[in-house]
Amino acid sequence: MFETGLWTRSLPTFAAGTLLAGTGIDLACRRGVGVAQRLADPRRRADLLSTYFLFAYTGTIVPTLPLGLLDQTMNQDVAPLILAVAVVATTLAGALSRPINAIT
């Protein structure tokens, strides 16, 4: 939806995509924090959670850097599309390579 909003220049679609993506990130982050708290030794929980948030914030920053570089070298419509395809491909590759009996 986010990408569709960019291509069609539709503010409502762009806003809906942003809200949908934000909701997905929030749900994933909440689940990750819950798992980290459950698995962590109570005396080391703060260390584990701070590391979790460090990697989570890094994960939100890193895609922005290539987007900025791509935006400088090509069309502003193509750069986000390339990034979106890369994110989807990485997500699918990670999901497909995940063991069937993974810890949930």
Side-chain angles (χ1 to χ4, degrees), residues 1-102:
M1 286 184 79
F2 178 82
E3 193 65 34
T4 302
L6 286 175
W7 277 83
T8 61
R9 307 283 193 255
S10 168
L11 180 59
T13 306
F14 179 79
T18 302
L19 289 172
L20 184 64
T23 302
I25 290 294
D26 180 57
L27 292 173
C29 187
R30 293 172 100 194
R31 174 74 173 155
V33 168
V35 169
Q37 286 185 344
R38 190 175 70 237
L39 296 177
D41 176 23
R43 293 172 292 169
R44 306 286 299 183
R45 189 170 289 152
D47 297 339
L48 182 64
L49 286 175
S50 65
T51 303
Y52 175 82
F53 280 111
L54 176 67
F55 280 98
Y57 290 134
T58 301
T60 59
I61 293 168
V62 168
T64 308
L65 299 176
L67 179 60
L69 293 172
L70 287 172
D71 192 48
Q72 296 296 318
T73 60
M74 61 181 55
N75 186 334
Q76 291 180 344
D77 289 334
V78 177
L81 180 61
I82 290 172
L83 181 64
V85 168
V87 168
V88 168
T90 303
T91 302
L92 286 175
L96 293 175
S97 67
R98 184 176 174 198
I100 301 275
N101 297 333

